[in-house]
Amino acid sequence: MSDVLYYLLCGGLLLGVMAGIAMLSRVKTAPYGNGLSALCMAAAILLVMRRYELVSLRALWICLAIGLILGLWGAVKVKMIQMPQTVALLNGFGGAASALVAAVYVWQAGPGGGFFYTAAAITLAIGWFTFSGSLIAAGKLHNRIRPQPLIWPGHSRILILTLAVMAALICLLPLWRQGSGAVAVVLSLVSLFFGVAFALRIGGADMPVAISLLNALSGTAGAVAGMTVNEPLLVAVGGVVGASGILLTQIMCRGMNRRLPEILTGATVAVKPLPAADAAGEAAGNSADSQLQAGGDPAGSQKPADDASTDRQKQESGAPSGGKKQEADVFAALRSARQVIIVPGYGMALAQAQHLLKKLSDALEQRGAEVKFAIHPVAGRMPGHMNVLLCEADVPYGQLYEMQDINEQFAHCDIAVAVGANDVINPAANTAEGTPIYGMPVLQIAGAPLVAVCNFDRKPGYAGVENPLYDMDKTVLFLGDAKESLAKLLQALDETV
Amino acid sequence: MEPIWLIVIFAATALAGYKLIRQVPSLLHTPLMSGMNALSGVTVLGALCAAGAAVYSGSRFCAYIAIVLAMINVAGGFGVTARMLNMFKSKKEAGGE
């Protein structure tokens, strides 16, 4: 096959992949886009095997078949709630595969000058880092490894030192050809260690950012591996994946009010809940009216916000603070509601309550209410995770609203129901300066006239900031398992039928 | 291919990809990411080249592993993406009113 023809075919396949990605931007066309990309990938594999005359090598076909079967088997088996760790694991496989390609190149003393050896060294570094970092991330998401950040003494110094060693080895590899094999081995080991040290320090709540970043790195590793073996199609597709990962990383950072350098350097992990909580309560009490048109609870701001037991007593003993809403108010509001907004959070997913939530939504619709789901960009454990979980429960995607589209509507609904959501509905983000969530875009649920919160407990969420919403008069808490709380709401709806 | 062209290709496709992916709504970000997993399995092309060029049995074994890992990415990524995308239903399809 002539070079010109080969490059033309590569260009065509690249356009196919790009068209497939473009089709992903609409729900209707997305499945076809995915299919088109898959088709192009299959064609690319055949094209490369043809060009390098590998078609007759049976071992390669066997390897391809093994990978195909394992991959499809995994794709069928995996549960939707496990998507974050699945994506993390696949990121790791991609990184490892690229690193192995570079390792083979160095081992075989491949052709070409310094450029190709430099590319190989960079591939080894990024690839192994992505592999070990992704395994740790997947372990944390799967609760095999404690999700809390693990910080060693002098962690930052260790990381910087490791990074410097990696940079030195990358420079050394193309310069010292005789010892390139040994350098490659050491570089691989150091990179593996760097990935572990890096990922251990990232906490469970920051994982969406970490997997997006590792996604970008696995693509970049592929692209640089393509430079190593001089394979333009690999470079091109790797570049696309890298760009996608970077974009998603940016989106997640914005949604969580984090700056990437803070997450990477572990600056976000030290949070002291108590002072933050006081600040949150006070600030919310002072400016809730202007910010949220939400009559803040002045009593709530004066007492220590962490004193949950008195809160609960107050709630159970029938609201000394006058207008405190009761469970009965929620039931009545649900029965007569025209507009209901449901805010699902990761707690809903943990409790596996999405199917019950769909039942509640159906029951409300039968009574003539319009039900909307408000989805925060970081609801769930990865970008877009909550949408997938709700769609699995047969919620039509037309009912899922993005934050900026639904925020104005809270004021017009009859009741808002939060299920397992905490940080993403915390009004302290608007007001409590100095807390980790200050300035984070949140769902303005406090703008609703009545709020039902079905959370497990009233503890702060991952950000460690107390939620002043819980103390507002308009808020009714249904603590405990989300399934039981939802069942209670459903039962209340049925009672008057 | 000259190294400079490889770098140009990388920069150009990264920019084009960024533009395309910005159009994807956050509704579809999880399938987008798993789809990108599948695409990052494109390194299977490099693994095939490496396997073809490998002479020592040790390095050939490495290349075989790379093929399997990358192919898991391709098949698993596209498979799980297809599964997810098929769950997205509009109101009529979901059997609503």
Side-chain angles (χ1 to χ4, degrees):
Chain A
M1 194 184 305
S2 78
D3 276 358
V4 176
L5 178 62
Y6 177 69
Y7 290 140
L8 278 177
L9 288 173
C10 282
L13 289 176
L14 177 64
L15 284 180
V17 169
M18 294 271 197
I21 296 173
M23 288 162 84
L24 267 183
S25 57
R26 286 183 44 220
V27 178
K28 287 265 175 260
T29 54
Y32 305 107
N34 187 52
L36 180 62
S37 296
L39 208 66
C40 290
M41 184 71 85
I45 291 172
L46 295 178
L47 179 65
V48 165
M49 290 188 86
R50 179 80 206 281
R51 170 165 162 96
Y52 296 97
E53 287 159 3
L54 307 170
V55 183
S56 58
L57 295 178
R58 200 185 307 154
L60 300 193
W61 289 105
I62 294 173
C63 290
L64 286 172
I66 293 173
L68 187 74
I69 291 166
L70 286 178
L72 288 179
W73 177 75
V76 174
K77 281 278 169 196
V78 68
K79 295 198 186 85
M80 284 304 141
I81 186 124
Q82 296 168 334
M83 272 324 291
Q85 49 267 51
T86 308
V87 166
L89 200 64
L90 290 180
N91 284 339
F93 286 175
S98 298
L100 284 170
V101 170
V104 172
Y105 180 84
V106 174
W107 196 339
Q108 294 287 333
F115 172 83
F116 298 97
Y117 277 83
T118 313
I122 295 174
T123 310
L124 284 171
I126 302 180
W128 289 126
F129 164 72
T130 308
F131 176 65
S132 63
S134 297
L135 287 192
I136 299 286
K140 284 196 171 197
L141 288 162
H142 206 67
N143 268 330
R144 289 282 168 83
I145 303 172
R146 253 168 40 97
Q148 282 75 26
L150 179 68
I151 305 170
W152 299 329
H155 207 127
S156 296
R157 242 171 300 157
I158 294 175
L159 284 181
I160 291 170
L161 192 72
T162 317
L163 206 57
V165 172
M166 281 163 69
L169 290 169
I170 289 173
C171 297
L172 181 64
L173 194 139
L175 295 177
W176 186 36
R177 283 295 170 82
Q178 284 82 18
S180 60
V183 176
V185 171
V186 178
L187 176 59
S188 302
L189 293 176
V190 175
S191 302
L192 283 169
F193 168 77
F194 184 69
V196 173
F198 166 84
L200 277 178
R201 194 169 65 168
I202 293 178
D206 286 332
M207 271 309 158
V209 180
I211 33 177
S212 308
L213 187 69
L214 290 166
N215 196 231
L217 286 176
S218 78
T220 313
V224 190
M227 294 184 191
T228 309
V229 296
N230 204 343
E231 195 41 69
L233 190 56
L234 181 43
V235 175
V237 179
V240 173
V241 178
S244 153
I246 293 287
L247 186 71
L248 288 170
T249 310
Q250 283 178 345
I251 291 171
M252 292 316 279
C253 278
R254 220 173 298 143
M256 298 177 65
N257 200 32
R258 296 277 210 257
R259 282 175 48 243
L260 190 57
E262 288 172 358
I263 292 174
L264 300 188
T265 56
T268 56
V269 297
V271 173
K272 293 198 181 75
L274 287 190
D278 280 343
E282 236 162 324
N286 293 339
S287 56
D289 289 329
S290 57
Q291 277 278 346
L292 310 164
Q293 305 127 8
D297 178 6
S301 66
Q302 276 148 25
K303 68 177 183 294
D306 58 320
D307 194 354
S309 61
T310 50
D311 285 340
R312 214 162 293 152
Q313 272 169 10
K314 187 174 112 186
Q315 213 187 322
E316 279 159 13
S317 66
S321 60
K324 182 76 182 164
K325 298 282 188 189
Q326 303 293 313
E327 290 190 0
D329 295 321
V330 169
F331 299 149
L334 283 176
R335 281 186 207 117
S336 61
R338 304 280 94 202
Q339 278 263 15
V340 181
I341 299 181
I342 298 179
V343 182
Y346 192 63
M348 176 216 78
L350 279 183
Q352 289 284 306
Q354 56 267 48
H355 295 278
L356 216 53
L357 198 58
K358 163 73 174 160
K359 262 192 197 160
L360 178 68
S361 150
D362 286 346
L364 286 166
E365 282 185 334
Q366 262 173 16
R367 298 177 142 268
E370 189 186 2
V371 182
K372 292 174 176 173
F373 289 82
I375 313 286
H376 191 272
V378 297
R381 277 290 165 276
M382 68 181 290
H385 193 197
M386 190 55 65
N387 300 299
V388 170
L389 294 174
L390 289 175
C391 285
E392 191 192 16
D394 275 337
V395 176
Y397 64 85
Q399 266 174 282
L400 309 177
Y401 288 80
E402 290 180 26
M403 183 169 61
Q404 62 270 27
D405 298 329
I406 194 109
N407 258 346
E408 297 161 7
Q409 300 185 31
F410 278 110
H412 308 299
C413 73
D414 299 301
I415 178 169
V417 184
V419 186
N422 190 348
D423 288 336
V424 297
I425 54 168
N426 193 340
N430 299 316
T431 51
E433 274 183 65
T435 60
I437 59 169
Y438 178 66
M440 169 170 146
V442 288
L443 290 159
Q444 306 290 2
I445 195 171
L450 180 62
V451 180
V453 178
C454 307
N455 282 3
F456 186 70
D457 52 28
R458 26 181 314 139
K459 282 196 196 128
Y462 281 97
V465 181
E466 290 279 348
N467 197 333
L469 178 74
Y470 295 167
D471 295 322
M472 288 181 183
D473 278 349
K474 65 171 68 174
T475 308
V476 181
L477 295 178
F478 293 84
L479 300 179
D481 185 68
K483 268 187 181 165
E484 284 165 25
S485 305
L486 286 174
K488 212 161 150 190
L489 295 182
L490 265 170
Q491 202 188 350
L493 271 182
D494 283 342
E495 268 166 15
T496 49
V497 174
Chain B
M1 196 173 264
E2 290 295 313
I4 182 72
W5 285 113
L6 293 173
I7 291 174
V8 169
I9 289 174
F10 178 67
T13 50
L15 279 177
Y18 193 89
K19 285 248 182 273
L20 279 178
I21 288 152
R22 265 206 358 211
Q23 309 299 318
V24 178
S26 67
L27 176 70
L28 294 176
H29 274 167
T30 295
L32 171 70
M33 250 177 124
S34 59
M36 289 300 145
N37 272 157
L39 288 184
S40 76
V42 72
T43 197
V44 72
L45 304 182
L48 288 168
C49 295
V55 197
Y56 312 126
S57 52
S59 63
R60 201 179 299 153
F61 184 69
C62 276
Y64 290 163
I65 303 235
I67 296 175
V68 172
L69 286 178
M71 202 56 200
I72 290 178
N73 254 20
V74 173
F78 282 125
V80 87
T81 308
R83 227 184 103 195
M84 272 190 273
L85 289 174
N86 285 330
M87 292 182 334
F88 282 81
K89 292 182 195 109
S90 64
K91 201 144 200 170
K92 275 177 236 139
E93 293 165 272
E97 38 237 74

